[in-house]
Amino acid sequence: MKAAVIVFPGSNCDRDVAVSLNAVMGSSPEMVWHGNAEVPKSDLIVLPGGFSYGDYLRSGAMAAHSPIMKDVIKKANSGVPVLGICNGFQMLTETGLLPGVMLRNANLKFICKDVQLRVERNDTVFTRRYKKDQVITIPVANHDGNYFADENTLARLEDNNLIAFRYCDADGHPTGEANPNGSARNIAGLYNENCTILGLMPHPERLADKQLGGIDGLALFESLVETLH
Amino acid sequence: MSSQDTLGPRADEITPEIVAEHGLNREEYDRVCESLGGRAPNLTELGVFSVMWSEHCSYKSSRVWLAKLPTTGPQVICGPGENAGIVDIGDGQAAVFKMESHNHPSFIEPYQGAATGVGGIMRDVFTMGARPAANLNALRFGSPDHDKTRHLVSGVVSGIGGYGNCIGVPTVGGEVNFDKSYDGNILVNAMCVGLAEVDKIFYAAASGVGNPVVYVGSKTGRDGIHGATMASAEFDDDSDEKRPTVQVGDPFTEKLLLEACLELMAGDAIIGIQDMGAAGLTSSSVEMADKGGVGIELDLDLVPCREEAMTAYEMLLSESQERMLMVLTPGREDGAKKIFEKWGLDFAVVGITTDTGRFVAKHQGKIKADIPLDTLANNAPKYNRPWIAGEKRPVIVPDEVPAPNSLSDALIKLMSLPDLCSRRWVWEQYDHMVMGDTVGRPGGDAAVVRVHGTDKSLAVTTDVTPRYVAADAHEGGKQAVAETWRNLTATGAQPLAITDCMNFGNPQRPEIMGQFAGAIEGMAEACNALSYPVVSGNVSLYNETNGQAILPTPAIGGVGLIKNTERRASAAIGHDGDILLLVGTERGHLGQSLYQRDLVGKSEGAPPPVDLTAELRNGNFVRGLIEAGDVAHVHDCSDGGLWVAVSEMAMAADIGADITLGSQQLPAHAILFGEDQGRYILSVDADQVAKIIASAESLAIPVRKLGVAGGKSLRIDGEHEVKLADLRQAHESWLPEYMNTV
């Protein structure tokens, strides 16, 4: 598998996700500068976490207009799998590749902690190594992770089974208490219609190594390698 | 080159009032004139002298004492005097670290004050060629009842998070404490630890004549003018009016500056580099030229400005953030410029190194300042201020301190105190995992971050117990150093060196100077005994408002090395059925304890003494067990005493424990809540116990079986039960409830 990680000014989880990819791929992903016009031929494009352009405007809003994004959007629409983590998810909603927007967390604070997620489906390139309804632990670290979309959009996401992960309690129930930031329907991650694009606020790369306290994030990267070779 | 005509002051320009506003006294002003060969300075020059000779930049009251601290050792690559200290961590790698205060700005404008404190300390680290790997913050706020405290806590915590989270360096540890002495003068001490290759370390010296002096980073504005002078003065009721002297931080630009600097540092274009921190362009250029033994000439017309019509005075004294000054090898400017342009940053050649030994600043064709460098950098007055040692207080006998009505209620009360409750509300606002190497998260004895891509880790912590220092400066200074050493050791790390942040009141008062002197001597004693030198630091004096000084607060930041990340210890109980062992001597010392202060309502007596021989012996024993893989769950006993430490281990694992008081002749509350030093609690497999006890006894190290882990509550000899759920509720709720109360 060949992977490309897009590096924006202000990206700060680019190295972290490259480490996780390297661990499963056995080789380094290509780090691609945002100012380039084209993403080299890859089986996977990753939009990493961070504060692109400082996120002084809406998070991800500036990055969505970076030179490289034209090609990212083109390749995403042609079916190249795209993984957007945290700030990357925010870019995906800002470009319109995924619906909805990210609001400020309901408590108005940055939140960095482990949360539990329910894997909504395991028939995608991102999740085949998980079990359906498996409860996994992955950290969040963001200020704007409160997913919002209108009722019609939410209904469409539910009807088409496009919700990837929901915040949940230890038993897998998506309760209000388990929702760290006020996200609609406890949504932590979303797919596009074809499930080739995944955006999620939690950081799978942060719990993909035993020494860091857990490996629940690793299966996401393993799923990609298994499918995309 | 200079003449009275162009350089002397205009008529009436320098009045005694203006001199006083610049924080210089009569003798110091005379010394300025003498340095200029007998002429009076103009306003720009006066400004330059005032910042360079401020307490903040010149250490004029503290230098004679700082010289008593040990600063060398086989592990030390660079001691105090550079941007940060550097220690060897093997394999050609180095840890680069420093702690610095940002107290006065944070009190006036908590968000920006704290944010720029974090930004400033990171620049000190990456200017030496290191990538920042961890941030810590030692914070002291006023009484929770004071009407400003909530606002200050909220602003400082958001500011630290806002900066560190954005730049993407994990904030992994530190301290938060409350005391009414900080009501009008909070302390924000920021520490950064970075990693560098030993053969790629950069220093501030600007050697060579005719080399280009380059300005990079943000543009210069009028923010922060006279920040260093403000940091060297007391506060009064009008201090809020100093808000315009607080700088504004831009973490995004700092991230770009970090990446651009490290990219340039991969090559060999840089001769010297220094961040523009306190006293901005002035201090950075003076320090670089002085260290390199050259002169420097700046053309201020070339300085990138973001405001119009800035004067020479303003440009030289601005403390705008996210700026660096470099001296490059001639001919390498274009290559360097390309890197900074790629990152969207300003790059301007603003001067040249000279052989004149003078600091010269030109603006609009005129010489605005022309000062012998040596006098600016090294001729600041040095004061050996009068001091008196505090009176020794008697050691309180345990029986003199009343017992609580209920031991279990006392524990719950202690665990919910502002000074002992969970800081989760704080550190969940900090990204403590970014960079993917935080293997020991906040909440333990010391945070542990891996040295990226290796089997090694660094343990990092900050500690000081100001009430101990107030009661006995010498013992308190000793204890602060020993506690960092102990916290590092409890993770399995070999402590390497410390950075210090000396926060005290007005040094012109002999009792304050006595606190400073005592703390330094105590710290030096501990550093020497533990082979644990000081490699960097900062002094913050005049922490007073309306004549009320803060508690003396020598905050110590410690760094240690874990050679094998797999062989480290957490501060949680290991497993159900584990045996808890107590290493160290029990004396039941309740003087200056939290129990005495907050449950009895008295702050009396001497603080607990630190026996440095026992400290070293007990610590080396515990570390040996961790390194051998025999023990992986260790917690030190500090604030609050034994039962508090057991509680913390129990909550971290969600496993209870039944402990026994043992056979010594001490009252139960003294055993449980006494703050005796040099102790550790180990949670070990039952089949390891005999071996560990035999090994301790063979080394004459005091050890006893403290109890058995299990269940969901804490007990003492089967009684005084406290449910973990109730304890957690008490421990976790105080801070969020306090912060959510309007």
Side-chain angles (χ1 to χ4, degrees), chain A:
Chain A
M1 179 176 98
K2 280 187 72 180
V5 177
I6 313 296
V7 181
F8 299 87
S11 290
N12 62 30
C13 301
D14 43 335
R15 186 183 84 174
D16 304 357
V17 76
V19 167
S20 295
L21 285 167
N22 197 336
V24 293
M25 288 160 51
S27 62
S28 298
E30 182 123 3
M31 307 305 277
V32 181
W33 185 238
H34 76 114
N36 294 3
E38 214 174 313
V39 185
K41 192 171 158 27
S42 322
D43 305 304
L44 170 73
I45 297 171
V46 180
L47 303 173
F51 286 69
S52 51
Y53 298 90
D55 280 343
Y56 292 139
L57 194 59
R58 251 181 359 260
S59 296
M62 295 278 285
H65 297 281
S66 246
I68 194 83
M69 286 309 281
K70 268 191 191 148
D71 196 45
V72 170
I73 293 167
K74 194 172 118 196
K75 290 198 159 74
N77 285 330
S78 75
V80 175
V82 177
L83 170 65
I85 302 170
C86 198
N87 198 217
F89 186 12
Q90 292 160 343
M91 292 172 204
L92 289 172
T93 59
E94 289 293 332
T95 53
L97 284 170
L98 292 176
V101 290
M102 295 298 164
L103 304 180
R104 192 129 282 203
N105 292 337
N107 70 352
L108 305 180
K109 291 187 179 8
F110 192 94
I111 303 172
C112 178
K113 65 174 184 182
D114 286 348
V115 296
Q116 286 168 319
L117 306 177
R118 189 175 73 193
V119 180
E120 298 295 295
R121 55 190 287 187
N122 69 339
D123 57 348
T124 75
V125 291
F126 301 96
T127 55
R128 64 165 57 201
R129 282 287 190 104
Y130 294 106
K131 295 191 191 72
K132 180 169 159 30
D133 294 330
Q134 186 180 339
V135 176
I136 59 174
T137 299
I138 306 270
V140 287
N142 60 65
H143 211 306
D144 301 324
N146 180 357
Y147 182 76
F148 177 85
D150 62 51
E151 281 304 314
N152 286 340
T153 305
L154 292 172
R156 186 176 60 81
L157 292 172
E158 300 266 14
D159 293 348
N160 295 317
N161 201 10
L162 299 180
I163 296 168
F165 302 99
R166 285 186 219 256
Y167 302 109
C168 68
D169 66 14
D171 300 322
H173 302 300
T175 60
E177 219 165 62
N179 186 340
N181 50 27
S183 290
R185 315 270 172 116
N186 280 42
I187 289 172
L190 273 188
Y191 296 113
N192 66 336
E193 299 288 338
N194 302 324
C195 296
T196 55
I197 302 174
L198 169 65
L200 78 168
M201 287 313 292
H203 287 268
E205 78 278 16
R206 292 190 179 191
L207 277 182
D209 172 348
K210 249 196 189 139
Q211 285 187 342
L212 296 174
I215 53 165
D216 281 359
L218 192 61
L220 189 142
F221 300 103
E222 288 173 340
S223 299
L224 286 163
V225 168
E226 190 179 297
T227 329
L228 305 171
H229 301 295

Side-chain angles (χ1 to χ4, degrees), chain B residues 183-446:
Chain B
D183 279 353
N185 196 127
I186 62 170
L187 301 184
V188 173
N189 296 172
M191 174 172 170
C192 179
V193 186
L195 294 165
E197 301 295 318
V198 171
D199 58 4
K200 284 303 246 179
I201 290 169
F202 291 82
Y203 294 97
S207 56
V209 171
N211 294 331
V213 177
V214 176
Y215 170 119
V216 295
S218 286
K219 295 185 198 303
T220 296
R222 290 191 170 90
D223 48 334
I225 290 173
H226 275 309
T229 313
M230 174 181 78
S232 309
E234 287 178 40
F235 272 169
D236 54 31
D237 293 331
D238 299 326
S239 294
D240 278 354
E241 290 172 14
K242 300 197 174 178
R243 193 167 288 121
T245 58
V246 178
Q247 313 86 328
V248 177
D250 175 1
F252 173 58
T253 299
E254 176 120 325
K255 169 72 173 167
L256 305 179
L257 188 61
L258 162 69
E259 298 301 338
C261 285
L262 291 182
E263 195 172 324
L264 179 60
M265 285 165 167
D268 57 358
I270 298 176
I271 294 173
I273 177 165
Q274 162 94 31
D275 89 293
M276 292 194 225
L281 189 53
T282 295
S283 158
S284 55
S285 50
V286 169
E287 282 174 27
M288 283 178 83
D290 176 61
K291 284 186 176 135
V294 296
I296 199 161
E297 191 173 307
L298 299 175
D299 183 350
L300 298 177
D301 294 337
L302 303 173
V303 171
C305 288
R306 74 172 126 82
E307 294 183 59
E308 282 179 20
M310 286 188 67
T311 64
Y313 180 95
E314 290 168 334
M315 277 188 261
L316 285 170
L317 301 191
S318 163
E319 292 189 6
S320 290
Q321 299 289 292
E322 293 93 25
R323 303 179 300 163
M324 291 273 192
L325 202 64
M326 311 184 293
V327 172
L328 298 182
T329 305
R332 306 298 290 276
E333 297 92 323
D334 287 348
K337 189 174 182 182
K338 276 206 184 82
I339 292 174
F340 284 85
E341 280 177 347
K342 168 187 157 189
W343 290 97
L345 295 167
D346 270 300
F347 178 102
V349 178
V350 296
I352 193 163
T353 56
T354 67
D355 60 0
T356 63
R358 299 184 80 84
F359 171 79
V360 177
K362 292 180 182 168
H363 190 220
Q364 295 172 343
K366 291 198 180 109
I367 293 174
K368 292 293 187 177
D370 183 357
I371 307 170
L373 261 160
D374 186 47
T375 72
L376 276 178
N378 306 313
N379 224 15
K382 231 186 255 182
Y383 295 120
N384 194 349
R385 298 198 186 275
W387 60 280
I388 43 170
E391 224 169 277
K392 282 273 177 201
R393 303 190 194 188
V395 174
I396 305 269
V397 182
D399 290 305
E400 287 172 10
V401 182
N405 293 329
S406 153
L407 289 172
S408 46
D409 289 353
L411 178 68
I412 289 191
K413 179 88 195 295
L414 278 169
M415 294 301 286
S416 64
L417 288 177
D419 276 348
L420 267 189
C421 69
S422 167
R423 274 78 178 100
R424 183 183 304 277
W425 183 90
V426 175
W427 45 257
E428 282 189 350
Q429 294 184 57
Y430 301 153
D431 191 337
H432 48 271
M433 304 180 216
V434 65
M435 295 184 86
D437 284 311
T438 308
V439 294
R441 295 187 190 177
D445 286 312

